[in-house]
Amino acid sequence: MKKFMNFGVLALLGMALTFGMTSCSDDDPDYSNVTPPTVELAKANISGMVTTIGGKPIAGAEVTAKLGSTTLSATTNADGEYTLEGLAENGTYTMTATASGKQSVTGSVTVNKGETAAWNTRLSNEATTVSVSQTEETSVEVVTETLENNEEARVTTVTVIPAAAVEEGEEIIVTPVYSTDYATTKAATTKDFMLMGINISCSNPNAVLKAPIKLTFDLTDDVIAQIKPMKEVNGSWVEAEVTEEGEKVVFTVDAFTTYSLFINATLNQNASTEAISFAQAEYDNLYGASEMSVGTATYTYKMGSEIGQHSNLLGAYLAEILAQQMAGSTVKTVNGSYEINVTLPIGTALTLSGKQAVETTSIAAGSTTVSGKSYGKVSVTANTYNRQHNGGTN
């Protein structure tokens, strides 16, 4: 009897377990093919650096981006960095950077959702204003700015203004110029690159020079042979007549415009991309116990430009031109963020990948070549999937 009862208990227990397992199997949802969420494209950002011509950061510079009626602004931090976040509209934004004691710069950058666009710029020293004497000549000396540790490329310019060159009370304004962005057009040929220039203007925009001004660039013989003197006339660059006094190139300034020295060189550019690094690139809820919220993903990328080594004076000048073309000479690793804002159901996962545009540029004149690299826009891709590895992607 006791054996029969034990057998009955075991039989009942087995039936209960079988029934329970069947019941659980019927009630559990099938997580193998759960529809994963689609990640919407995040709003665009613009980031960059504002530096001096030498590459030192400018703190407190104001950067604005404008598209139609939309205007955003940011102030650079102690490292000269800024970020304009949450741009809702795609398009080409007009950019402006200003700082105390510096010339303002205007440019443009194209922005698309899901990207962090790059806009870097360098601000040069502001102009020098000269009060013109009616009885004696006046001179002003301007030393061009150069990259840090590239002081050999500095050029001293001297502007000699004769007595009564303009009407009494009018002032002459001497402004250093470092690229053709200052003017309305580029040089006559795409292989002519501005090394340096001086813009001569008057406080009275309608003034006419009553006597020519002497503008001197102090160079060296080996570089003079590479130089093409030009001036801007009606928005175009034309060759200018100059005289040479030893190692000096002398312009006779007979009109208010920009007088510059160009170097004939070959510029090569190659575009590529580099992967960016995420703090967390994978969010796995394929076999989780509850929903998983994913908010903001953080990553690191590079900001700015860097210039390689050079071995002679011509290379020093080419490095300056290269910095103009790449709008900088300083590179930093910085942090970025990307808004994900999705909830992953059980049975789904999300992976992140990203890339940054990189442009390698080289400039050559004669047997001298200088190369550099600039880092551009960052784009992020989010891929969601389920256990069968299909689903929304972005």
Side-chain angles (χ1 to χ4, degrees), residues 11-28:
L12 289 172
L13 180 60
M15 291 175 63
L17 288 171
T18 301
F19 179 78
M21 291 175 67
T22 303
S23 176
C24 288
S25 176
D26 291 342
D27 291 342
D28 279 351

Side-chain angles (χ1 to χ4, degrees), residues 124-147:
S124 59
N125 291 334
E126 61 187 1
T128 300
T129 301
V130 185
S131 297
V132 179
S133 171
Q134 297 297 303
T135 59
E136 57 186 23
E137 72 177 22
T138 309
S139 67
V140 57
E141 180 179 286
V142 173
V143 179
T144 61
E145 299 173 81
T146 63
L147 300 174

Side-chain angles (χ1 to χ4, degrees), residues 197-258:
I198 293 290
N199 178 266
I200 307 293
S201 61
C202 184
S203 57
N204 176 8
N206 299 315
V208 176
L209 269 175
K210 298 166 63 177
I213 293 171
K214 181 179 179 180
L215 173 60
T216 302
F217 291 81
D218 194 351
L219 301 168
T220 60
D221 286 337
D222 55 341
V223 174
I224 287 178
Q226 304 280 343
I227 291 299
K228 179 183 289 186
M230 305 183 81
K231 67 178 181 179
E232 188 186 7
V233 179
N234 297 324
S236 297
W237 291 97
V238 299
E239 289 195 44
E241 292 186 6
V242 296
T243 58
E244 294 182 18
E245 299 178 0
E247 295 185 334
K248 295 179 173 62
V249 174
V250 183
F251 287 86
T252 299
V253 176
D254 54 6
F256 293 118
T257 188
T258 303

Side-chain angles (χ1 to χ4, degrees), residues 66-287:
K66 186 174 183 179
L67 176 64
S69 60
T70 300
T71 300
L72 294 91
S73 62
T75 302
T76 57
N77 61 18
D79 295 319
E81 302 165 5
Y82 74 93
T83 300
L84 295 166
E85 298 180 321
L87 282 73
E89 296 182 73
N90 290 351
T92 300
Y93 284 74
T94 298
M95 305 294 296
T96 303
T98 60
S100 177
K102 300 291 183 181
Q103 298 180 50
S104 62
V105 169
T106 300
S108 63
V109 64
T110 300
V111 172
N112 293 300
K113 281 188 176 182
E115 297 178 348
T116 294
W119 190 73
N120 304 301
T121 191
R122 306 188 306 162
L123 303 185
S124 59
N125 291 334
E126 61 187 1
T128 300
T129 301
V130 185
S131 297
V132 179
S133 171
Q134 297 297 303
T135 59
E136 57 186 23
E137 72 177 22
T138 309
S139 67
V140 57
E141 180 179 286
V142 173
V143 179
T144 61
E145 299 173 81
T146 63
L147 300 174
E148 193 172 13
N149 300 320
N150 198 39
E151 289 80 6
E152 60 184 323
R154 287 177 179 169
V155 174
T156 299
T157 69
V158 178
T159 304
V160 179
I161 306 167
V166 292
E167 296 292 342
E168 187 172 1
E170 294 178 342
E171 297 174 313
I172 296 294
I173 303 168
V174 180
T175 306
V177 182
Y178 295 93
S179 75
T180 51
D181 291 340
Y182 183 90
T184 56
T185 62
K186 292 187 178 295
T189 168
T190 56
K191 291 188 177 181
D192 285 335
F193 297 93
M194 181 185 286
L195 175 60
M196 69 203 72
I198 293 290
N199 178 266
I200 307 293
S201 61
C202 184
S203 57
N204 176 8
N206 299 315
V208 176
L209 269 175
K210 298 166 63 177
I213 293 171
K214 181 179 179 180
L215 173 60
T216 302
F217 291 81
D218 194 351
L219 301 168
T220 60
D221 286 337
D222 55 341
V223 174
I224 287 178
Q226 304 280 343
I227 291 299
K228 179 183 289 186
M230 305 183 81
K231 67 178 181 179
E232 188 186 7
V233 179
N234 297 324
S236 297
W237 291 97
V238 299
E239 289 195 44
E241 292 186 6
V242 296
T243 58
E244 294 182 18
E245 299 178 0
E247 295 185 334
K248 295 179 173 62
V249 174
V250 183
F251 287 86
T252 299
V253 176
D254 54 6
F256 293 118
T257 188
T258 303
Y259 299 81
S260 300
L261 302 179
F262 286 77
I263 290 180
N264 188 263
T266 301
L267 191 75
N268 289 310
Q269 296 175 309
N270 294 298
S272 61
T273 60
E274 291 183 2
I276 60 174
S277 176
F278 289 88
Q280 182 176 349
E282 184 173 0
Y283 299 83
D284 188 346
N285 201 30
L286 293 175
Y287 296 93

